Structure formats: structure tokens, C-alpha cells
Amino acid sequence: MGLVNRVVSRERLLAETEELLLEILSQSPLAVKLTWDAIHRGSNLTVEESALLGADYFGLVASTEDFREGTKAFLDKTPPRFTGR
């Protein structure tokens, strides 16, 4: 299901957590915010309602400058420069 993407030793837990956090924070601020919101709102919805919420949020993100920047950076194989717009 992809719920676990890595297992680390207790000694590496904090360092791995910080690395993951920095990776998340390097993404589009709007996409991160909506993902966080969807996780929290979606846990109280039916599967159908959660899928609709995800589709709505994807539509919002897909209309942003950050989405275009991320797509362009991916195609150009360059790092994206997200602005939160």
C-alpha cells in the first residue's frame, strides 16, 4: 500500500525525520498545505467523499504557477523554484 517507505534504526530516527521534513518543505507550499488538509479532512470522510476532495484539491493545485513550475522543472531536469502561487 505504500504506507511505509523506510525503516530506520532508533539512532537514525531524528536525522531521517529531519531529512524527510526538509524534502516535504522543498515542495510547493500550496500543495503541501492542501495535502495536509486533505489528510486530516479525508480521515473523516467516506472513500467516495475523500476521492472527490482529492480531485478538487488536485484541480486547485493544477491551476497554480507552482504546478507549471514543477512540471517545467521536471521536463527540463532542473530543480523547481516554487513561489507559493
Side-chain angles (χ1 to χ4, degrees):
M1 291 181 63
L3 295 176
V4 176
N5 61 10
R6 66 182 85 158
V7 177
V8 299
S9 67
R10 180 174 293 179
E11 295 77 25
R12 291 279 314 142
L13 182 59
L14 184 57
E16 292 284 336
T17 302
E18 288 173 349
E19 287 177 27
L20 180 58
L21 179 60
L22 290 174
E23 183 181 327
I24 291 169
L25 292 175
S26 73
Q27 304 305 310
S28 164
L30 180 59
V32 172
K33 178 186 180 310
L34 290 177
T35 299
W36 183 259
D37 188 63
I39 290 168
H40 290 281
R41 288 184 59 199
S43 65
N44 296 318
L45 300 175
T46 66
V47 172
E48 294 81 11
E49 291 169 331
S50 182
L52 288 172
L53 178 65
D56 287 346
Y57 281 5
F58 177 78
L60 288 172
V61 169
S63 68
T64 66
E65 290 178 24
D66 276 357
F67 185 85
R68 289 186 291 283
E69 169 62 21
T71 302
K72 183 179 182 327
F74 175 79
L75 293 173
D76 294 344
K77 298 183 180 3
T78 60
R81 294 186 180 164
F82 296 117
T83 62
R85 292 181 267 164

